[in-house]
Amino acid sequence: MKNIAIIGYGVIGKRVADAISLQDDMNLTGVCDVISDWRLQNALRKEYDIYAATAEAAKEMKASGISIKGSLQDLLDKVDLVVDCTPKKIAAQNVKIYKEKGLKFIVQGGEKHETTGHSFSAENNYKSALNIDATRVVSCNTTSILRTLTALKRADLLDYARGTLLRRATDPWESHLGGIMNTMVPERDIPSHQGPDAQSVDPDLNVITTAIKVPQTLSHLHYWNVKLKKQASKEEVLNAFKTSSRIKLIQYDQGLVSNNTIKEMFLDMGRPWGDMYEVVLWEDMLKVVGDELFYAYVVDNQAIVIPETIDAIRALTGIETDPNKSIEKTNESLGIK
């Protein structure tokens, strides 16, 4: 049983905390943050131990009636591994602390690959993360790219891939603070950063991405045009995607015509927050023309990296050396079928 700390109890942190609490081979020792609002009140309701990242944060927490167990340093003294879910660039500043204490650590996809020297996707490179000191769980969009293209690659179908990403403007809970309205903003650079990011996990991928920020918050939507190594049937392609337990095939003709209808389905399934851990790919939209493949899918920007993070914990700590066993265990705990 490995003791795990969560640093940053936001969109990703709270989900990782809940996921850890469902595992029988790791223990959530505590969560640490600087906030003292409703988010930490909910952490208390779940009986998570709370730690303050700074002395000032400790004062504010106590003033808000939040009982704390100690400081960041106190928490780090009790754990085997840290999952840093703080906002972009803050984790990179925290890395020095983790290294000084000799702690293994995981950062999220907002940080650069160079922060850890290793980037992680469970179905792709789990074994290369075994017992190493640190990894970066790649971003939501990059995770989806790796799952789908790796499935095609395993089936020896993938030649090269070109994708267009329609990116949500901001996380749903922050849509009152920012985001865009009545416009669409194309990312200036081609390729957009997601393609090169996928290559940080699999350098052999021939992939180019373009991205457009759109005025909605529920999810991302990807359109892909893939050159296959050979002419293939639609059934062959679907069978390749079915080798991934984290790609969920859906039917447009069953009323799942948009990201909001898909989200409603996951809410009805009883998923916490309606979270979609899988790449949700339209089966009946998928088209094969000769050696060209066209498909589209939806990515939950708040949830898709959660199972990857749990698997990364197992890999870094060595509590499970078989990627398939870890993936199966994580899937079962999160209700991925």
Side-chain angles (χ1 to χ4, degrees), residues 10-64:
V11 168
I12 300 299
K14 66 183 180 182
R15 287 171 165 82
V16 175
D18 284 3
I20 290 172
S21 69
L22 296 173
Q23 312 306 312
D24 61 10
D25 53 0
M26 57 187 78
N27 172 61
L28 179 63
T29 303
V31 301
C32 183
D33 212 313
V34 295
I35 58 175
S36 54
D37 59 14
W38 58 272
R39 289 167 287 180
L40 277 196
Q41 297 291 349
N42 278 330
L44 281 177
R45 181 177 54 81
K46 294 178 179 181
E47 298 184 343
Y48 296 156
D49 287 345
I50 310 298
Y51 292 79
T54 65
E56 183 60 33
K59 292 179 184 177
E60 292 180 6
M61 289 177 186
K62 291 174 182 176
S64 299

Side-chain angles (χ1 to χ4, degrees), residues 118-169:
H118 186 275
S119 294
F120 183 88
S121 179
E123 293 179 338
N124 190 287
N125 67 342
Y126 184 101
K127 288 187 177 180
S128 68
L130 286 173
N131 298 306
I132 64 174
D133 292 333
T135 193
R136 177 184 71 114
V137 174
V138 293
S139 73
C140 49
N141 282 314
T142 305
T143 295
S144 74
I145 293 168
L146 287 164
R147 283 189 195 165
T148 51
L149 297 188
T150 298
L152 295 172
K153 188 176 178 180
R154 279 195 300 264
D156 198 30
L157 290 173
L158 178 65
D159 186 358
Y160 61 80
R162 306 294 183 251
T164 298
L165 290 61
L166 305 178
R167 299 181 56 212
R168 63 93 177 96

Side-chain angles (χ1 to χ4, degrees), residues 43-336:
L44 281 177
R45 181 177 54 81
K46 294 178 179 181
E47 298 184 343
Y48 296 156
D49 287 345
I50 310 298
Y51 292 79
T54 65
E56 183 60 33
K59 292 179 184 177
E60 292 180 6
M61 289 177 186
K62 291 174 182 176
S64 299
I66 297 173
S67 175
I68 61 174
K69 295 292 183 177
S71 66
L72 169 63
Q73 294 294 333
D74 293 330
L75 176 58
L76 296 183
D77 287 339
K78 300 176 181 178
V79 300
D80 302 293
L81 180 144
V82 176
V83 182
D84 194 308
C85 302
T86 54
K88 187 177 180 179
K89 297 183 180 179
I90 293 178
Q93 300 171 22
N94 293 338
V95 162
K96 182 180 178 180
I97 300 171
Y98 308 147
K99 288 182 175 179
E100 287 175 350
K101 297 190 75 67
L103 285 171
K104 293 177 180 289
F105 61 90
I106 296 168
V107 299
Q108 297 298 312
E111 305 306 323
K112 294 184 181 300
H113 172 77
E114 291 74 22
T115 305
T116 59
H118 186 275
S119 294
F120 183 88
S121 179
E123 293 179 338
N124 190 287
N125 67 342
Y126 184 101
K127 288 187 177 180
S128 68
L130 286 173
N131 298 306
I132 64 174
D133 292 333
T135 193
R136 177 184 71 114
V137 174
V138 293
S139 73
C140 49
N141 282 314
T142 305
T143 295
S144 74
I145 293 168
L146 287 164
R147 283 189 195 165
T148 51
L149 297 188
T150 298
L152 295 172
K153 188 176 178 180
R154 279 195 300 264
D156 198 30
L157 290 173
L158 178 65
D159 186 358
Y160 61 80
R162 306 294 183 251
T164 298
L165 290 61
L166 305 178
R167 299 181 56 212
R168 63 93 177 96
T170 188
D171 283 331
W173 89 276
E174 290 186 311
S175 57
H176 64 294
L177 298 177
I180 59 174
M181 290 291 290
N182 197 35
T183 190
M184 294 182 288
V185 183
E187 191 164 319
R188 179 184 180 277
D189 293 327
I190 300 176
S192 60
H193 71 272
Q194 294 87 3
D197 197 33
Q199 291 167 332
S200 73
V201 175
D202 184 352
D204 294 331
L205 282 181
N206 185 339
V207 57
I208 295 175
T209 52
T210 55
I212 307 161
K213 187 183 291 185
V214 297
Q216 63 86 36
T217 66
L218 284 181
S219 68
H220 308 295
L221 175 65
H222 288 212
Y223 270 94
W224 285 88
N225 177 12
V226 172
K227 175 73 162 53
L228 301 174
K229 281 188 174 181
K230 59 184 179 181
Q231 290 195 7
S233 67
K234 180 173 181 175
E235 183 180 18
E236 285 179 275
V237 171
L238 290 174
N239 285 338
F241 284 143
K242 288 175 182 176
T243 62
S244 169
S245 61
R246 292 176 181 171
I247 298 174
K248 182 176 180 62
L249 300 177
I250 61 169
Q251 298 286 337
Y252 192 96
D253 288 345
Q254 290 183 351
L256 298 170
V257 299
S258 57
N259 61 351
N260 62 299
T261 56
I262 296 168
K263 187 74 169 180
E264 188 72 8
M265 179 183 74
F266 277 85
L267 284 163
D268 286 350
M269 287 166 55
R271 289 280 182 88
W273 298 289
D275 279 350
M276 301 182 289
Y277 306 119
E278 305 93 332
V279 175
V280 185
L281 189 150
W282 278 288
E283 179 176 358
D284 49 353
M285 189 188 299
L286 185 147
K287 183 82 170 179
V288 181
V289 182
D291 61 357
E292 285 189 282
L293 166 63
F294 304 86
Y295 59 90
Y297 60 74
V298 166
V299 180
D300 189 334
N301 41 287
Q302 300 184 109
I304 193 173
V305 299
I306 305 307
E308 306 294 324
T309 303
I310 298 301
D311 292 327
I313 293 171
R314 289 202 182 95
L316 262 63
T317 58
I319 54 180
E320 178 53 72
T321 59
D322 186 329
N324 293 324
K325 289 182 179 178
S326 179
I327 289 168
E328 183 179 352
K329 191 178 184 72
T330 302
N331 287 355
E332 183 177 357
S333 70
L334 295 178
I336 302 172

